[in-house]
Amino acid sequence: MLKIRLMGTKSDIAWFQKILSSNNKIEVLEVSEFYSNKGTRKYYRAYAQVQKVNLKKDN
């Protein structure tokens, strides 16, 4: 499992969350809410937990 910190504007973070969710090689376990960064009103951060999907099928 990987824990990822996403930083950027709200729209940039939402855009990347869609990319993560649409990738069939990873499973998004959890995505946090937006947190504002100190000293700015433009940039935020969010946290995601992802894991690799095993695409091999047992015969």
Side-chain angles (χ1 to χ4, degrees):
M1 176 185 58
L2 293 172
K3 294 184 178 185
I4 304 168
R5 180 174 63 184
L6 307 170
M7 293 180 64
T9 63
K10 284 184 177 182
S11 62
D12 289 340
I13 293 171
W15 165 76
F16 196 73
Q17 286 175 350
K18 288 178 187 176
I19 290 174
L20 286 176
S21 298
S22 66
N23 188 326
N24 65 350
K25 293 183 180 182
I26 58 174
E27 177 183 3
V28 179
L29 302 173
E30 184 179 339
V31 178
S32 74
E33 60 188 71
F34 292 113
Y35 298 99
S36 60
N37 284 346
K38 291 183 181 180
T40 180
R41 292 184 183 193
K42 182 178 179 182
Y43 296 108
Y44 293 83
R45 66 188 186 281
Y47 300 91
Q49 291 183 7
V50 300
Q51 71 181 9
K52 183 172 123 179
V53 172
N54 186 1
L55 297 176
K56 294 181 183 179
K57 295 184 180 181
D58 295 336
N59 291 339

